[in-house]
Amino acid sequence: MNITAFIGSSRANSNSEQLTDYVLKGIPHKKIDLKNVTIEPIHDLRHDDNGFQFVADDYDQIIQAFLTSDIVIFATPIYWYSMSGIMKNMVDRLSHAIRDERFPQLKEKLQTTEAIVLAVGGDDPHIKGLPLIHQFQYIFDFLKMPFSSYIIGNANKPGEIVNDEQALAQATILNKQLKARTL
């Protein structure tokens, strides 16, 4: 089973990345740190006669990750009650990717790729982070991707995720479930 984690924080060793590391401890996986990948913003040409045009950036790396993964994890800080900008940029480009003639199998593959969301923030994230989870649910519904689980962590300053016993307990449970399926 192939697992890819998309890390959407602009901070190195962020709380959302640390939570991802707890979830994936001891499980083979690929991690893509979005702050280190060049993804141009979408130029929406869905309704243009010529459609989307080729974009010279690193997004093909994202498409390949989707094509080769059985599970994808979207790990993001909760920024202004939503996903981070770099995560949103990646998600926005899916509009182009699912129409890219070079990858005709992508749309169908996404329908069998399980999605997990890990989101970490401050300011009462278990309540105020729920719209982010709903946003992801709508995205996955549109793409017909199975959405299996999510964890919301409470942390603000670097390293504070270790103090969120509930999130770490959920990460441990998810880790055991994933290990049972992958090992």
Side-chain angles (χ1 to χ4, degrees):
M1 178 161 299
N2 293 323
I3 300 174
T4 298
F6 297 109
I7 307 300
S9 180
S10 61
R11 182 189 296 164
N13 199 28
S14 66
N15 287 303
S16 50
E17 183 175 6
Q18 288 177 39
L19 184 58
T20 303
D21 291 343
Y22 280 106
V23 168
L24 295 175
K25 184 176 182 180
I27 300 173
H29 64 279
K30 178 179 182 177
K31 190 186 292 186
I32 297 177
D33 193 338
L34 296 176
K35 73 178 176 303
N36 297 328
V37 179
T38 301
I39 301 174
E40 294 296 323
I42 191 164
H43 184 194
D44 187 356
L45 297 170
R46 287 175 292 162
H47 306 291
D48 187 273
D49 289 340
N50 297 319
F52 287 104
Q53 303 301 307
F54 176 77
V55 178
D57 65 3
D58 298 331
Y59 201 79
D60 284 3
Q61 177 182 342
I62 304 300
I63 294 172
Q64 289 303 322
F66 279 116
L67 289 172
T68 59
S69 298
D70 302 296
I71 298 172
V72 290
I73 296 175
F74 295 81
T76 182
I78 302 171
Y79 285 166
W80 291 103
Y81 314 101
S82 186
M83 67 184 79
S84 68
I86 56 178
M87 176 73 66
K88 182 68 166 75
N89 198 33
M90 182 196 80
V91 170
D92 284 349
R93 282 288 296 282
L94 280 169
S95 292
H96 182 180
I98 61 175
R99 293 168 177 84
D100 192 325
E101 293 176 0
R102 297 174 302 141
F103 305 102
Q105 70 280 32
L106 178 61
K107 197 169 184 180
E108 186 176 323
K109 174 63 172 104
L110 290 173
Q111 295 174 16
T112 63
T113 304
E114 182 179 332
I116 296 170
V117 174
L118 306 176
V120 180
D123 193 21
D124 200 13
H126 295 102
I127 300 298
K128 296 178 180 179
L130 290 176
L132 165 64
I133 300 304
H134 291 141
Q135 180 184 29
F136 272 112
Q137 178 68 66
Y138 297 140
I139 292 164
F140 302 145
D141 286 351
F142 180 83
L143 295 168
K144 297 181 175 64
M145 288 180 75
F147 182 20
S148 65
S149 62
Y150 70 89
I151 300 172
I152 297 176
N154 186 1
N156 192 16
K157 293 179 183 175
E160 283 186 346
I161 193 63
V162 299
N163 300 322
D164 186 342
E165 293 177 12
Q166 179 180 344
L168 296 184
Q170 291 173 316
T172 299
I173 292 167
L174 184 53
N175 176 270
K176 287 178 183 176
Q177 291 170 343
L178 291 173
K179 277 183 179 173
R181 294 171 55 192
T182 59
L183 301 178

